[in-house]
């Protein structure tokens, strides 16, 4: 009899537990999201699931909200986005890189005003005004911020990632110990680079890392030829780098270097924006572009003499100025990714309130440092990462514990430089002095806005142009297409695809931007 009573009580208790759990789950507001990651490194450290990140879990618990992330395969985000739009299987939220490439077309065909017209995403002006006091205050305080996130029609279409005290997150680096051993100075000109890479190859069997399209990011390596791998402007006149003489000059140099074995022979097959760490620490790369992680490299390398030095972008001759590199210290920038709320979302007010927290001081701490007592603690009133975070050997602390790829505020100097114990005063000069060399006079604004008709033309033409350039430029470097065909084949094909019309559209958009 007593046994039967115990079983009954256990069953009642189990029922109550299940009931409470179901009530808790039903009280959670669930939103679906297409959320681009855009980095193999981020995907690796989060297991390609942001639900596993500690700070996201804390946010969900705090607000009674759950986001069901759908992360497209890294490297296939643009195609995956287009398939999603075509299928009309739209989630509640979309976090995406807003342009197809740093200087490309709007990701949405026809532009983001068109996406609002088509009923894919919603205008956010009124939501921000009524339900997002923290973001609203920032827009009032920083007029440039409002300018950057507003289309020519006055629509705010995305929630931004705002980065204060932004510094060059990465740059060019070479093996310092090899320079000293081989009697070389730090390279300044392209001739210096050629001499250095020749000795690295002959004496060390090492090569230079290069990104798959044939350029380091942000025009770091080609800026010295006065051309961008995309759109730029000189005194308000729009240029497209592949049509300018300096581009052919750059490709002739890279073709020579490739033939002489100075560049990674398989560069065009490696699409990650971050350099392969094993290739650095084992001596395969003597020069590369990436984040400054000198201490980590030295700790991982088995060579006791291993050392690294950061160097500025190369120039043709000593004293030349760099106007193109989009990497320099900036008091504030708006990231090229953003969060959009779709028309399928049934509760945009809750979404607005949830993400507005990330624009507050408290929310910014959670976003950047994670959970107090777990990933950080306060020391003299300042958040400092705990050993749990700083013990991550390769420096990728943010991918495991904090809200990295999302809207909100990031104070770059504070979080990335001062908070990491492995960053020294010498290291800080790398970001704020050595890599911050460009005056950016020729860099195109990130946030040009197109009319619906303009956006449709740009999207259609640039989709073909970008595919063609990414496929063809590496072939000029490796020599499978002779450089003698650059103008007769490559430039002619760009014009046939409609690049001149796109340049005209960019010119009108730039003129409007300058009058905002």
């Amino acid at each position: 009899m007593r046994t039967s009573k115990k079983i009954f009580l256990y069953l009642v208790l189990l029922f109550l537990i299940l009931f409470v759990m179901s009530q808790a789950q039903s009280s959670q507001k669930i939103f679906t999201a297409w959320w681009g990651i855009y980095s193999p490194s981020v995907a690796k450290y989060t297991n390609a699931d942001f639900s596993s990140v500690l700070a996201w879990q804390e946010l969900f618990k705090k607000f009674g909200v759950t986001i069901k992330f759908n992360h497209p395969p890294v490297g296939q985000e643009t195609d995956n986005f287009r398939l999603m739009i075509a299928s009309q299987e739209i989630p509640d939220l979309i976090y995406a890189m807003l342009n197809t490439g740093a200087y490309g077309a709007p990701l949405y065909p026809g532009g983001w005003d068109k996406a609002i017209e088509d009923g894919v995403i919603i205008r956010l002006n009124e939501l921000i005004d009524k339900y997002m006091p923290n973001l609203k205050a920032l827009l009032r305080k920083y007029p440039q911020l409002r300018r950057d996130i507003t289309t020519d029609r006055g629509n705010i279409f995305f929630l931004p990632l705002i980065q204060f005290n932004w510094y060059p997150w990465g740059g060019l680096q070479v093996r310092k110990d090899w320079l000293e051993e081989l009697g070389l100075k730090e390279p300044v000109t392209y001739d210096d680079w050629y001499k250095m890479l020749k000795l690295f190859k002959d004496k060390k069997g090492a090569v230079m890392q290069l990104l798959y399209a044939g350029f380091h990011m942000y025009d770091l390596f080609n800026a010295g030829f006065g051309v961008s791998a995309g759109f730029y402007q000189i005194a308000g006149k729009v240029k497209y780098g592949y049509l300018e003489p300096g581009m052919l000059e750059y490709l002739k140099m890279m073709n020579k270097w490739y033939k002489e074995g100075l560049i990674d022979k398989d560069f065009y097959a490696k699409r990650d924006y971050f350099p392969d760490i094993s290739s650095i620490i084992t001596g395969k790369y003597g020069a590369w572009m990436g984040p400054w992680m000198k201490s980590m490299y030295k700790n991982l390398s088995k060579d006791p003499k291993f050392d690294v030095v950061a160097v500025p972008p190369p120039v043709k001759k000593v004293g030349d100025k760099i106007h193109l590199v989009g990497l320099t210290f900036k008091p504030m920038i708006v990231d090229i990714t953003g969060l959009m709320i779709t028309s399928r979302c049934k509760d945009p007010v809750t979404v607005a309130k949830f993400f507005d927290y990330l624009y507050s001081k408290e929310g910014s701490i959670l976003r950047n440092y994670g959970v107090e007592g777990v990933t950080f603690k306060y020391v003299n009133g300042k958040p400092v990462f705990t050993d749990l975070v700083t013990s991550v050997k390769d420096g990728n602390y943010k991918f495991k514990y904090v809200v990295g790829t999302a809207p909100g505020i990031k104070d770059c100097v504070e979080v990335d430089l001062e908070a990491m114990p492995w960053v020294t005063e010498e290291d800080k000069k790398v970001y704020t002095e050595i890599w911050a060399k460009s005056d950016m006079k020729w860099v195109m604004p990130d946030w040009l806005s197109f009319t619906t008709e303009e956006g449709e033309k740009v999207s259609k033409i640039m989709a073909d142009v970008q595919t063609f350039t990414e496929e063809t430029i590496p072939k000029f470097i490796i020599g499978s297409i002779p450089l003698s065909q650059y103008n007769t084949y490559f430039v002619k094909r760009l014009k046939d695809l409609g690049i001149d019309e796109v340049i005209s559209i960019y010119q009108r958009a730039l003129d409007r931007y300058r009058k905002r």
Side-chain angles (χ1 to χ4, degrees):
M1 192 69 176
R2 289 179 179 176
T3 302
S4 299
K5 189 174 181 180
K6 285 183 178 180
I7 292 173
F8 174 75
L9 290 173
Y10 285 141
L11 289 173
V12 170
L13 180 61
L14 179 61
F15 173 79
L16 289 172
I17 292 171
L18 292 173
F19 176 76
V20 170
M21 289 176 64
S22 66
Q23 289 298 106
Q25 289 176 351
S26 64
S27 66
Q28 285 281 111
K29 294 188 176 181
I30 300 174
F31 298 93
T32 56
W34 185 99
W35 207 283
I37 295 179
Y38 296 101
S39 167
S41 298
V42 175
K44 172 185 175 182
Y45 285 93
T46 59
N47 296 316
D49 180 10
F50 283 4
S51 298
S52 67
V53 175
L54 183 64
W56 275 113
Q57 295 171 359
E58 187 71 11
L59 277 169
F60 296 160
K61 185 168 59 176
K62 182 178 182 66
F63 284 92
V65 165
T66 296
I67 297 176
K68 290 190 173 180
F69 293 103
N70 170 27
H71 299 300
V74 175
Q76 301 176 34
E77 290 91 351
T78 298
D79 290 340
N80 193 278
F81 177 90
R82 290 171 177 159
L83 288 172
M84 173 186 64
I85 297 299
S87 71
Q88 297 187 341
E89 295 181 1
I90 311 296
D92 299 310
L93 309 173
I94 296 174
Y95 190 89
M97 192 172 288
L98 303 174
N99 295 330
T100 55
Y103 305 104
L107 181 61
Y108 188 86
W112 296 107
D113 281 325
K114 183 69 162 51
I116 294 174
E117 280 182 20
D118 292 346
V120 175
I121 62 174
I122 65 173
R123 167 184 159 104
L124 302 177
N125 303 51
E126 291 73 26
L127 273 176
I128 293 170
D129 188 56
K130 293 180 180 179
Y131 303 108
M132 303 188 73
N134 294 302
L135 179 55
K136 182 179 178 180
L138 289 168
L139 293 176
R140 203 162 42 232
K141 185 175 181 181
Y142 301 102
Q144 180 64 39
L145 174 59
R146 179 176 288 276
R147 182 185 184 189
D148 284 345
I149 69 172
T150 304
T151 69
D152 288 337
R153 291 192 189 179
N155 294 319
I156 297 176
F157 68 94
F158 72 103
L159 300 180
L161 165 55
I162 307 163
Q163 302 189 64
F164 289 105
N165 299 314
W166 191 87
Y167 61 88
W169 63 268
L172 298 172
Q173 302 163 61
V174 300
R175 286 288 296 268
K176 181 180 179 181
D177 52 324
W178 292 354
L179 293 178
E180 293 172 350
E181 180 184 336
L182 298 171
L184 297 170
K185 294 181 179 179
E186 294 173 16
V188 174
T189 66
Y190 289 106
D191 287 341
D192 294 339
W193 273 81
Y194 177 71
K195 179 180 179 181
M196 176 188 75
L197 292 176
K198 281 282 288 181
L199 283 173
F200 281 2
K201 173 184 177 290
D202 294 342
K203 303 297 183 180
K204 299 296 180 181
V207 296
M208 180 177 80
Q209 166 249 8
L210 189 63
L211 197 59
Y212 69 94
F215 309 91
H216 285 300
M217 293 178 70
Y218 301 102
D219 295 316
L220 279 174
F221 217 70
N222 49 285
F225 287 90
V227 289
S228 167
F231 295 97
Y232 59 108
Q233 57 80 33
I234 300 178
K237 184 176 180 180
V238 173
K239 305 272 188 181
Y240 188 61
Y242 295 106
L243 306 184
E244 301 299 319
M247 183 58 72
L248 180 55
E249 190 180 357
Y250 168 78
L251 292 175
K252 285 179 178 178
M253 180 188 76
M254 299 305 279
N255 172 261
K256 172 181 170 65
W257 289 11
Y258 185 86
K259 286 181 177 178
E260 294 185 20
L262 311 185
I263 299 170
D264 184 355
K265 64 182 180 63
D266 298 320
F267 74 91
Y268 48 85
K270 299 174 181 178
R271 300 185 71 89
D272 195 350
Y273 294 109
F274 294 90
D276 177 49
I277 292 175
S278 65
S279 294
I280 294 172
I281 62 175
T282 59
K284 177 182 177 180
Y285 290 161
W288 61 92
M289 184 270 174
W292 182 247
M293 297 187 289
K294 173 179 177 178
S295 298
M296 184 205 73
Y297 297 145
K298 293 183 74 169
N299 290 336
L300 293 175
S301 174
K302 295 181 179 179
D303 182 352
K305 296 181 180 179
F306 184 101
D307 203 0
V308 182
V309 64
V311 295
V315 290
K316 286 186 178 181
K317 60 181 184 297
V318 176
D320 283 356
K321 302 295 182 184
I322 295 289
H323 305 302
L324 268 171
V325 175
L327 283 172
T328 193
F329 178 80
K330 304 175 189 176
M332 181 194 74
I333 68 164
V334 176
D335 195 71
I336 59 174
T337 56
L339 178 72
M340 290 153 284
I341 303 176
T342 75
S343 58
R344 303 290 176 91
C345 180
K346 296 180 179 178
D347 190 0
V349 172
T350 293
V351 171
K353 291 179 178 178
F354 177 85
F355 283 103
D356 189 56
Y357 177 70
L358 296 180
Y359 296 104
S360 69
K361 183 176 180 179
E362 180 182 296
S364 181
I365 292 293
L366 175 60
R367 186 198 184 289
N368 291 293
Y369 291 95
V371 180
E372 184 178 1
V374 181
T375 59
F376 81 94
K377 59 185 177 180
Y378 283 100
V379 178
N380 297 324
K382 177 180 174 180
V384 176
F385 287 117
T386 63
D387 290 343
L388 175 68
V389 177
T390 58
S391 63
V392 178
K393 296 296 184 184
D394 57 8
N396 290 312
Y397 69 94
K398 58 186 174 184
F399 304 146
K400 296 172 69 71
Y401 302 114
V402 306
V403 179
T405 307
I409 296 174
K410 179 176 180 181
D411 188 322
C412 300
V413 171
E414 180 71 18
V415 175
D416 286 343
L417 299 186
E418 297 179 11
M420 294 188 293
W422 55 81
V423 174
T424 66
E425 289 299 319
E426 178 188 0
D427 293 336
K428 293 175 187 176
K429 291 181 181 180
V430 169
Y431 294 101
T432 57
E433 296 178 19
I434 296 174
W435 284 342
K437 289 292 185 181
S438 171
D439 60 21
M440 297 184 63
K441 285 183 179 179
W442 295 357
V443 175
M444 187 76 77
D446 289 327
W447 300 109
L448 296 183
S449 180
F450 302 103
T451 68
T452 298
E453 182 181 1
E454 288 173 342
E456 287 176 340
K457 286 184 178 179
V458 169
S459 296
K460 182 179 180 181
I461 294 171
M462 288 308 296
D464 293 334
V465 166
Q466 289 175 328
T467 298
F468 177 63
T469 55
E470 286 190 6
E471 290 177 350
T472 309
I473 288 296
K475 293 178 181 178
F476 283 120
I477 294 176
I478 67 177
S480 59
I481 300 179
L483 285 160
S484 60
Q485 295 185 20
Y486 187 82
N487 289 315
T488 57
Y489 164 64
F490 181 69
V491 172
K492 183 180 183 300
R493 178 61 177 156
L494 290 178
K495 289 182 175 291
D496 290 344
L497 290 171
I499 192 62
D500 287 332
E501 185 175 8
V502 175
I503 293 172
S504 296
I505 292 172
Y506 265 80
Q507 186 66 63
R508 294 196 295 272
L510 177 62
D511 292 342
R512 291 194 300 268
Y513 178 87
R514 289 159 70 95
K515 293 177 182 178
R516 280 189 201 170

